[in-house]
C-alpha cells in the first residue's frame, strides 16, 4: 500500500534534496500509479529524475504535469531543464522564456532561463543579464548569485563572476561548489586563491545568519514605529506602553535567535562588528533604537505622555534599515 500521495510528494522532495533521487523515484512511482492526476507528484518525479541524471523520464513527467495543470511554473521550469540536458537548447529556451513570461516576478524562472541560455554559446551574454535580474528580484537567495557567477564565468567576465560568487558565499557559506568556482575565477585573474581559516568560516556563517535577522528587525522597527504613533494618538497612555513593550519583546526574539546556533556562532557574532563595518553600523543604529524604545516604554508605564523618544527611535531604525537594504542590493 503506497503512502498518501501528498505525504509521498513531501517525502520525495526531502529525499531528492538529500541526494537520494532514486529513492524518491521509487516512492513516487507507486503513488502516481494510484493517483495519476496529481500534477505536483509528477513535478516531484521530474525533479528526482533530473537530479539522478535521467532527462528523458524527467521530460515525460514534466509534460504530464503541464497537461494536468497545478503549478505550471514549476512544470515549465522542469521541462526547460530536461530539454537543456537533452541538448535541445532551442526548445529549452522557448520553455524557459514562457515560464518567465507567465511569472515575471518569480526569480526561479529567471534562474532556469539563465541556466538554459548559458548552456548555449549563442545565449551566454543574455544569460548574464537574465541572472543579474534574478539577483535583483531575490537578493537574499544564494542560488541567484551562483547562477550569475556561473554565467559570467562562461563569458570570462571575471569581475562579475567573483563578485557574484562572493555574495553567494556570504549568503550560504556551506556551498563548496561556489567556493571552488571562486578559486577558479581568482586563478584565472592571476590572484592567489585564499584558504579560509576556521575563524573566517565562522565569521562568514555568522554574517549569513545576522543579515536576515537585521532585515526582519528593520521591518519590525520601521513599521512598528508609525503604528505605535497612531495607537498613541492623541496622547500615549500606559496601554501604548504595553504595545511598545510587546514590540520590544518581538525584537528581542529576533536578535537572540542567531545566538541560539551554538557557542562557535555566538563567539563569531561577538567579533563580527570588528570585521564587518556594515554590521557595526546597523547594530549601533538598531541598538540605539531599542534602547530609546525601552526607555520610552518604561516612561509610558510610569505615566509619561510624550512621543519624542519614539520619533528618535524610529529615525535610528530607519537609518539602520537603509544600510540593510543597501547592503543587500550593493
Amino acid at each position: 500500500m503506497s503512502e498518501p500521495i501528498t505525504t509521498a510528494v513531501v517525502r520525495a522532495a526531502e529525499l531528492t534534496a538529500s541526494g537520494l533521487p532514486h529513492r524518491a523515484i521509487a516512492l513516487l512511482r507507486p503513488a502516481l500509479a494510484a493517483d495519476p492526476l496529481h500534477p505536483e507528484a509528477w513535478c516531484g518525479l521530474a525533479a528526482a529524475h533530473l537530479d539522478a541524471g535521467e532527462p528523458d523520464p524527467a521530460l515525460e513527467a514534466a509534460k504530464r504535469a503541464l497537461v494536468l495543470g497545478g503549478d505550471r511554473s514549476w512544470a515549465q521550469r522542469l521541462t526547460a531543464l530536461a530539454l537543456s540536458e537533452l541538448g535541445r537548447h532551442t526548445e529549452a529556451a522557448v520553455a524557459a522564456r514562457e515560464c518567465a513570461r507567465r511569472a515575471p516576478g518569480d526569480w526561479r524562472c529567471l534562474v532556469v532561463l539563465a541556466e538554459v541560455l548559458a548552456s548555449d554559446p549563442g545565449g551566454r551574454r543574455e544569460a548574464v543579464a537574465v541572472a543579474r535580474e534574478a539577483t535583483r528580484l531575490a537578493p537574499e537567495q544564494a542560488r541567484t548569485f551562483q547562477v550569475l557567477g556561473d554565467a559570467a564565468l562562461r563569458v570570462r567576465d571575471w569581475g562579475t563572476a567573483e563578485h557574484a560568487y562572493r555574495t553567494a558565499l556570504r549568503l550560504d557559506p556551506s556551498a563548496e561548489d561556489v567556493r571552488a568556482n571562486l578559486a577558479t575565477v581568482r586563478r584565472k585573474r592571476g590572484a592567489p586563491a585564499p584558504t579560509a581559516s576556521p575563524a573566517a568560516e565562522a565569521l562568514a556563517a555568522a554574517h549569513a545568519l545576522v543579515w536576515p535577522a537585521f532585515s526582519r528587525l528593520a521591518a519590525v522597527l520601521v513599521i512598528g514605529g508609525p503604528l505605535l504613533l497612531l495607537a498613541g494618538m492623541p496622547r500615549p497612555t500606559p496601554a501604548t506602553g504595553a504595545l511598545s513593550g510587546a514590540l520590544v519583546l518581538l525584537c528581542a526574539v529576533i536578535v537572540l535567535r542567531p545566538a541560539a546556533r551554538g557557542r562557535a556562532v555566538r563567539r563569531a557574532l561577538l567579533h563580527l562588528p570588528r570585521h564587518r563595518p556594515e554590521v557595526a553600523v546597523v547594530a549601533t543604529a538598531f541598538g540605539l533604537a531599542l534602547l530609546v524604545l525601552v526607555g520610552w516604554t518604561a516612561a509610558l508605564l510610569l505615566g509619561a505622555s510624550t512621543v519624542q523618544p519614539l520619533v528618535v527611535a524610529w529615525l535610528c531604525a530607519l537609518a539602520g534599515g537603509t544600510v540593510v537594504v543597501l547592503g543587500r542590493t550593493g
Side-chain angles (χ1 to χ4, degrees), residues 65-137:
L66 277 173
V67 171
L68 293 171
D71 187 349
R72 294 185 62 85
S73 175
W74 188 13
Q76 284 178 319
R77 294 198 306 270
L78 293 166
T79 300
L81 289 173
L83 287 168
S84 182
E85 288 292 322
L86 290 168
R88 297 160 61 177
H89 300 301
T90 302
E91 296 171 80
V94 170
R97 289 185 194 280
E98 178 63 14
C99 178
R101 185 188 70 81
R102 286 178 173 270
D106 191 337
W107 63 269
R108 296 167 299 181
C109 294
L110 292 180
V111 161
V112 170
L113 178 56
E115 289 181 305
V116 168
L117 291 171
S119 64
D120 183 0
R124 289 175 180 170
R125 288 289 176 186
E126 185 183 358
V128 174
V130 171
R132 200 185 300 277
E133 175 64 13
T135 64
R136 188 190 68 80
L137 286 176

Side-chain angles (χ1 to χ4, degrees), residues 123 129-130 174 184 188 198 203 229 232 258 261 305 315 326:
V130 171
S174 65
T184 298
K188 294 287 187 181
L203 286 172
L229 189 61
R261 297 299 184 97
S305 59
L315 290 174
L326 292 176

Side-chain angles (χ1 to χ4, degrees), residues 194-209:
T195 54
S197 65
E201 294 287 350
L203 286 172
H207 192 278
L209 285 173

Side-chain angles (χ1 to χ4, degrees), residues 38-81:
H38 198 286
E40 284 74 21
W42 284 110
C43 284
L45 182 62
H49 277 301
L50 278 174
D51 205 59
E54 301 167 351
D56 280 308
L59 179 59
E60 179 185 349
K63 286 183 174 180
R64 291 290 297 271
L66 277 173
V67 171
L68 293 171
D71 187 349
R72 294 185 62 85
S73 175
W74 188 13
Q76 284 178 319
R77 294 198 306 270
L78 293 166
T79 300
L81 289 173

Side-chain angles (χ1 to χ4, degrees), residues 133-157:
E133 175 64 13
T135 64
R136 188 190 68 80
L137 286 176
E140 76 286 353
Q141 295 291 335
R143 179 65 180 152
T144 61
F145 289 96
Q146 180 181 0
V147 171
L148 175 58
D150 293 344
L153 182 62
R154 293 196 178 198
V155 297
R156 306 174 70 84
D157 184 348

Side-chain angles (χ1 to χ4, degrees), residues 160-205:
T160 298
E162 181 170 358
H163 174 73
Y165 286 141
R166 285 187 178 280
T167 306
L169 281 175
R170 176 173 63 80
L171 295 169
D172 181 13
S174 65
E176 293 302 323
D177 52 341
V178 175
R179 198 177 304 280
N181 286 345
L182 177 59
T184 298
V185 170
R186 290 182 60 85
R187 189 166 59 251
K188 294 287 187 181
R189 299 187 76 179
T195 54
S197 65
E201 294 287 350
L203 286 172

